[in-house]
Structure formats: structure tokens, C-alpha cells
Amino acid sequence: MAKLPILRWPDPRLAMPCAPAVLSDDLAQLAADMLDTTYAAQGRGLAAPQVGALIRLFVMDCTWKTGTPAPMVCVNPDILWRADTTATGPEGCLSIPGIITQVPRATAIRLRWTTLDGQTVEQDMTGFAAICAQHELDHLDGLLTLDRLDPPARARALAEYAA
Ligand code: ZN
């Protein structure tokens, strides 16, 4: 059990594209620590750059708050397909604490990733899982919810964050 410090916007590391991750014991330890950190912060997902590791890794657990933990560790994830339909809904981010923004996302995706034991997995996701995976994958490309907003909405969010 280890809780890692979470970087906050505007830390420049949050805006950097991440490099492919390589499976190792260290990577597995980082993923375990990231899950501990997610639960401790009352979050549902965390990407490696949020704890200062600029590699393509995220963890998520969309259901633990309902009493059914389902931790996922996604190494080198890719979105293979996105639905044409989008929906806009509220999103928070552990790196922008206290701010909820309305972010448009595809309503369904197909995600491919590698597990910690080297299996390649593909899964179709809808609902909150699809939103969470798109949010976390954005982090690996140096994108935050703020970067998905139109200029007035971004300005409002930044003003609220600074207040
Ligand atoms: Zn985030």
C-alpha cells in the first residue's frame, strides 16, 4: 500500500505525451500504488503522468464506490473504435481538484490494452466506463478535461480553479 502524490494542473508534466510502457515488476508496483492512490483520493481513475511517470499506463475502477470493486490496469491502451454519437456530461479530475466540467465524449468505444501479465485484451465499453477510459487515455496524450472545452467554458473553469 502506497499513496503517491498527485500532480496538479498546471504542472507541465500533465501536458506531455507519454512513452510506451514496458512490463516489469516496477510497472506492476506502480500500478498497484496508483490504484491505492485512486481509492484514497476517492477517484475512479488515474493515469501514470498524474503521478509523474510519463508512460502509457492508467488504472480505473468505475464501480468500487457502489461496493463492487473492479480494478483495471491498462498498459499501452488504444481506442480502436469510437461511436459517432457523443454525449456531454460532468467530469472531475484528481489533477484539477474541486472543478467539474462538462466534457463531450463518444458514447461507446472499443479499448485494447495489455494486462500486467502480458495478455492483449479488447473490450467494448459504454456509459461511465467509456467516459472514464477516454478521460484517462487523454492524460497519456497530455490532454486534460480543460483542453476539451470551448474557450469560454475553459475560461470559466480556470477562474473557478484559481478562486
Ligand atoms: Zn484526470
Side-chain angles (χ1 to χ4, degrees), residues 70-125:
M72 288 176 56
V73 174
C74 298
V75 180
N76 296 325
D78 261 320
I79 293 178
L80 302 179
W81 168 84
R82 287 170 205 267
D84 291 334
T85 50
T86 61
T88 298
E91 289 181 32
C93 178
L94 294 176
S95 291
I96 319 170
I99 299 297
I100 301 291
T101 53
Q102 299 290 326
V103 184
R105 301 285 186 191
T107 54
I109 61 166
R110 180 169 302 136
L111 189 73
R112 179 176 63 197
W113 70 95
T114 302
T115 64
L116 285 172
D117 52 9
Q119 306 291 316
T120 300
V121 180
E122 285 183 24
Q123 189 176 315
D124 290 345
M125 298 179 172

Side-chain angles (χ1 to χ4, degrees), residues 17-18 22 27 41 47 55 60-61 70 85 123 126 130 142 146 156 160:
C18 295
V22 177
L27 190 80
I55 55 173
M60 64 184 227
D61 187 336
T85 50
Q123 189 176 315
T126 58
L146 297 172
R156 280 196 303 275
E160 193 185 342

Side-chain angles (χ1 to χ4, degrees), residues 126-152:
T126 58
F128 198 80
I131 294 167
C132 192
Q134 290 174 82
H135 176 119
E136 300 309 333
L137 194 55
D138 267 1
H139 276 297
L140 307 185
D141 294 322
L143 294 172
L144 300 176
T145 52
L146 297 172
D147 301 310
R148 294 284 184 196
L149 305 179
D150 62 33

